[in-house]
Amino acid sequence: QVHLQESGPGLVKPSETLSLTCAVSGYSISSGYYWGWIRQPPGKGLEWIGSMSHSGGTYHNPSLKSRVTISVDTSTNRFSLKVSSVTAADTAFYYCARDARHTGSYYFGRWGQGTLVTVSS
Amino acid sequence: SYVLTQPPSVSVAPGQTASITCGGDNIGSKNVHWYQQKPGQAPVLVVYDDSDRPSEIPERFSGSTSRSTATLTISRVEAGDEADYYCQVWDSSSDVVFGGGTKLTVL
């Protein structure tokens, strides 16, 4: 059973960089799939941030692309998200998820439990 | 950018059938996926590729599409189905797009 778990600071100051990591168990990242990040401001809807494969293929939400970096570490079976120059608008629950885009079907079949990141001084 | 439109809320009595719609330009030409999100929990995939269901999802959940609308149908609704439901597609200009979500209330 694939399991994903997010970790990282719950509080980030404005203008700084948000950094999160997703640990994957029960499946080797290097075996396939893409690995993505989705966020959800409290009480609002879902927003895809971006996805990356173990071989480096990367896709980003055009509205966030300039501030987002996604990386994959196959040696630790983890992948990470960085969002630079954060503002209060980046306050959200952040979810990591397995992205099936390599099949031609762009859905997220497994999700982490999510972690709340608050941007505040 | 591509936009998916969902009704903010749908209400249904237990045992009845709930239909949640998702509208988008020529959505019938796209693969539509549906997620269920209960309060305080992560989303769960309930339908993918318009009408396929992950093995752990009950047969009561089904999906369909027409040229302009995708529909998630929940038969024999139970109290435990009360949740937010999101549709999602991939579009060549926007990549992954989610609908705004529909809150299903079981009366």
Side-chain angles (χ1 to χ4, degrees):
Chain A
Q1 182 83 356
V2 181
H3 183 73
L4 295 88
Q5 179 69 58
E6 304 89 350
S7 62
L11 181 64
V12 180
K13 289 182 169 55
S15 80
E16 296 190 345
T17 296
L18 176 163
S19 296
L20 295 173
T21 296
C22 181
V24 180
S25 58
Y27 188 86
S28 173
I29 281 180
S30 57
S31 293
Y33 285 91
Y34 277 70
W35 304 90
W37 292 93
I38 299 104
R39 71 181 183 178
Q40 183 176 37
K44 297 188 177 181
L46 300 168
E47 179 182 39
W48 173 71
I49 299 170
S51 299
M52 186 174 188
S53 75
H54 71 282
S55 58
T58 309
Y59 298 86
H60 296 95
N61 184 324
S63 68
L64 297 169
K65 183 176 181 178
S66 63
R67 298 194 295 126
V68 168
T69 301
I70 298 174
S71 59
V72 171
D73 186 342
T74 56
S75 67
T76 60
N77 220 39
R78 298 169 186 252
F79 60 106
S80 299
L81 170 72
K82 293 185 186 298
V83 181
S84 63
S85 305
V86 297
T87 69
D90 294 307
T91 294
F93 289 92
Y94 284 77
Y95 297 97
C96 59
R98 190 171 73 173
D99 182 339
R101 65 177 55 217
H102 67 297
T103 68
S105 287
Y106 300 74
Y107 61 83
F108 301 91
R110 290 288 185 266
W111 296 62
Q113 66 181 27
T115 187
L116 176 62
V117 179
T118 301
V119 178
S120 175
S121 55
Chain B
S1 62
Y2 193 81
V3 176
L4 292 173
T5 301
Q6 297 183 238
S9 63
V10 168
S11 299
V12 63
Q16 299 302 303
T17 297
S19 296
I20 299 172
T21 59
C22 176
D25 184 33
N26 202 27
I27 195 172
S29 68
K30 302 180 184 299
N31 289 333
V32 182
H33 319 296
W34 292 91
Y35 302 86
Q36 175 194 67
Q37 186 180 33
K38 296 182 179 179
Q41 298 184 20
V44 172
L45 180 72
V46 293
V47 167
Y48 65 99
D49 291 351
D50 298 340
S51 59
D52 288 337
R53 205 176 43 252
S55 58
E56 65 271 23
I57 301 301
E59 292 182 5
R60 299 185 299 104
F61 289 81
S62 62
S64 62
T65 61
S66 68
R67 190 172 71 86
S68 61
T69 303
T71 303
L72 174 68
T73 302
I74 309 172
S75 304
R76 303 181 299 282
V77 167
E78 303 172 356
D81 297 331
E82 191 161 279
D84 293 327
Y85 291 85
Y86 294 90
C87 58
Q88 177 245 309
V89 301
W90 178 86
D91 175 75
S92 60
S93 64
S94 306
D95 207 306
V96 171
V97 179
F98 288 96
T102 297
K103 180 178 180 59
L104 176 67
T105 299
V106 181
L107 301 170

